[in-house]
Amino acid sequence: HSRSQIPVEVQCQEAQLVVIVHRDLFGNGRLVSAAELSLGPAACKHSRLDPSQKTVTFSAGLHECGSTVQVTPDSLIYRTLLSYDPSPGSNPAIVRSNPAVIPIECHYPRRDNVSSGSIRPTWAPFNSVLASEEKFLFSLRLMNEDWSSERDLSAFRLGDVLNIQAEVGSHSHVPLRLFVDSCVATLGPGAGSDPHYALIDFNGCLVDGRSDATSSAFVTPRPRQDMLRFRIDAFRFAGDTRSLIYITCHLKVTPAEQSPDAQNKACSFSKARNTWAPVEGTRDICSCCELGNCGSAG
């Protein structure tokens, strides 16, 4: 295809990604407007409009606009979404265009050391590393049934189970334990949009498992301390025909040697025992899940 026939072009640069969108997005001669396009869950607006080329350009840092990063043995994979949300026509009774969400990915190799400074493999206390230089690379992925790889298809039917894997990658000298503090499902980007439904709340209580006729729970034991898996029964929002659901989660880490507590835990509800149970730690750290108040984390 010639360059002009590519509807969305992505340039993966050193510290940012550039997305060039041709306004004839669907190749039907109807030009979309720049206001109908946005980048990422944060709905970032375009940075440049070229009337002569009929293109709309987005430029964003790799960590901006709500992008996510996946760490694999060989690559860092940054993911975001280009969203097309058509404005209503002059007659609100009819619709001539459907919204579209286009996945964007940038892959970067991990094999090379790109630091210009010398490598100093000296011990550093966890707190100072966290404050000065540590970067945690969190990822959240939908996995296949046996957790062996990422799920190819993102479509689910009611009755299916969502296998969700949270993971953190870092170069810390201190072993880390990962927790999922909260997860909220919404019909729009961001945890604050309405309607919303809490899947995990109160600093690690999987509250969806408390609902009737669900098997949602954390998977125990963990594969590794820096990984946490949980299963959620598929669902949809009542009275709404939209089939795209956003799940926004807050992930955090503690030193692995630190004992789990009410603010740092992973608790599931057991219907068979009618009680809450942690992936690790003593049962009393989950008692606040039933109260719906586990204090505030630092």
Side-chain angles (χ1 to χ4, degrees), residues 142 154-162 164 183-187 195-200 206 208-209 211-214 216 230-240 242-248:
L142 283 171
S154 59
F156 291 86
R157 294 182 176 88
L158 294 181
D160 289 347
V161 174
L162 285 68
I164 303 177
C183 279
V184 177
T186 57
L187 287 171
H196 64 272
Y197 175 65
L199 301 169
I200 298 174
L206 207 159
D208 183 56
S211 303
D212 294 336
T214 64
S216 302
F230 57 100
R231 292 189 170 96
I232 300 291
D233 289 3
F235 62 93
R236 65 178 179 83
F237 283 90
D240 200 293
R242 284 174 285 182
S243 59
L244 177 64
I245 290 177
Y246 294 83
I247 296 179
T248 305

Side-chain angles (χ1 to χ4, degrees), residues 246-258:
Y246 294 83
I247 296 179
T248 305
C249 296
H250 176 224
L251 312 182
K252 66 180 179 183
V253 290
T254 66
E257 65 180 17
Q258 176 180 318

Side-chain angles (χ1 to χ4, degrees), residues 204 218 220 260 265-268 276-286:
F218 286 107
T220 183
K265 62 186 182 300
C267 294
S268 304
W276 291 87
V279 172
E280 60 266 304
T282 56
R283 284 184 174 270
D284 61 289
I285 65 174
C286 297

